[in-house]
Amino acid sequence: ALLGRWLTNQPASELALDGQRQETGWQLRGHARFADRSGRIVTEPTFEWSQTGEQWQGRIRDLRAQEIAAWATPWLNEPTRPWLASLNPQGELPEIAVQAATGTYAVTIQLRDVALQAAHGLPGLSHLTGTLEFAPDQGRIKLDSRQVRVETAGLLRAPVTLDTMAGTLTWTRGADGFRLESAGLDLANADLNARVWGSVAAPDTGQPLLDLQGLFREVRVGRVRRYLPTTLPADGLAWMDQALVDGRAA
């Protein structure tokens, strides 16, 4: 269904492919062209693939996250397919490196201004830049992003914008959901400078479980109210709104 909607929104598509069979296997090279409903070309990715026995490796350049998601969705297993669809990834992928053999694969993707919607109790993010690496049921993302907007999915009172977001996140896929972990994620804007570490367990059904720790520096006390979790008692939030007036927490 997702692939069908994507094809509806990409009515003018073109694929060119050249291939040659050599002693070690196939060598493929080509390009694609995708246009929107008005006929405007929106992206022109190129790709190259080489085969050595049972192993393939290749590179794809100048794709977009939404195209990868549409292509990948029909071949994903049932728990993963709705997960990816709900994230609705968008953004530029300057280069994708792939290694694949029978029963396994490894993918490394460069990210530029990628956005993910809030889903499954996890925050939505935009303007993500870095590198994404993944294999079956596990992955890692290294972030070095600027002006990141965080949609906190109701955990905080309002969206937050971070001047910088840098660090590494890893995840694994288990029988009952995803687990995200980080040894340290650096977050900074005019209100605070923070380092957060810990884990988030996000089951396929039910609420996520957060086990997080943080170290905060140069906090603007008068702005703390924007970062208080909505799970605090309402009377406690109301008291803090009036009590936290000004100053800095070093």
Side-chain angles (χ1 to χ4, degrees):
L2 182 61
L3 182 61
R5 290 195 296 271
W6 176 78
L7 289 171
T8 300
N9 293 323
Q10 299 276 358
S13 303
E14 176 184 307
L15 177 66
L17 177 67
D18 293 318
Q20 184 178 11
R21 176 81 175 184
Q22 299 183 353
E23 290 184 5
T24 58
W26 281 96
Q27 306 293 316
L28 305 174
R29 187 182 300 269
H31 70 271
R33 178 177 297 170
F34 303 110
D36 59 19
R37 290 179 177 273
S38 65
R40 181 178 63 90
I41 300 298
V42 292
T43 183
E44 296 184 79
T46 62
F47 56 88
E48 54 191 42
W49 294 90
S50 62
Q51 181 188 20
T52 304
E54 297 296 321
Q55 182 170 337
W56 286 84
Q57 58 182 349
R59 294 184 183 277
I60 308 170
R61 297 179 175 88
D62 301 323
L63 256 178
R64 299 182 303 171
Q66 50 267 47
E67 290 154 1
I68 290 292
W71 289 341
T73 296
W75 291 275
L76 296 174
N77 59 31
E78 186 55 36
T80 307
R81 190 182 301 128
W83 232 87
L84 179 61
S86 63
L87 293 176
N88 188 29
Q90 306 280 322
E92 303 297 322
L93 309 177
E95 183 173 284
I96 303 171
V98 182
Q99 290 185 330
T102 304
T104 187
Y105 61 85
V107 182
T108 301
I109 304 176
Q110 294 179 10
L111 309 175
R112 184 169 61 205
D113 283 338
V114 168
L116 302 171
Q117 286 187 354
H120 304 282
L122 299 175
L125 300 165
S126 62
H127 299 299
L128 295 179
T129 297
T131 303
L132 170 64
E133 304 169 358
F134 65 90
D137 298 326
Q138 62 180 331
R140 176 173 64 174
I141 183 170
K142 300 178 182 178
L143 294 173
D144 187 10
S145 307
R146 303 291 182 271
Q147 295 303 309
V148 178
R149 183 176 173 84
V150 183
E151 300 285 349
T152 60
L155 182 62
L156 303 183
R157 287 167 150 181
V160 173
T161 298
L162 299 169
D163 296 336
T164 61
M165 174 185 284
T168 301
L169 291 167
T170 63
W171 76 87
T172 53
R173 171 77 195 181
D176 56 353
F178 281 91
R179 180 177 177 84
L180 295 88
E181 296 182 272
S182 178
L185 194 62
D186 295 318
L187 315 170
N189 61 15
D191 299 333
L192 55 84
N193 189 319
R195 183 173 181 84
V196 180
W197 61 95
S199 64
V200 178
D204 293 329
T205 59
Q207 295 297 314
L209 176 64
L210 283 70
D211 182 8
L212 303 176
Q213 299 182 62
L215 176 64
F216 297 83
R217 298 186 179 92
E218 295 303 319
V219 179
R220 293 176 59 185
V221 173
R223 305 283 283 181
V224 166
R225 66 194 66 171
R226 302 184 62 227
Y227 303 91
L228 296 175
T230 55
T231 52
L232 291 176
D235 54 350
L237 285 172
W239 181 86
M240 289 184 181
D241 282 344
Q242 299 180 54
L244 301 176
V245 178
D246 201 0
R248 304 187 75 89

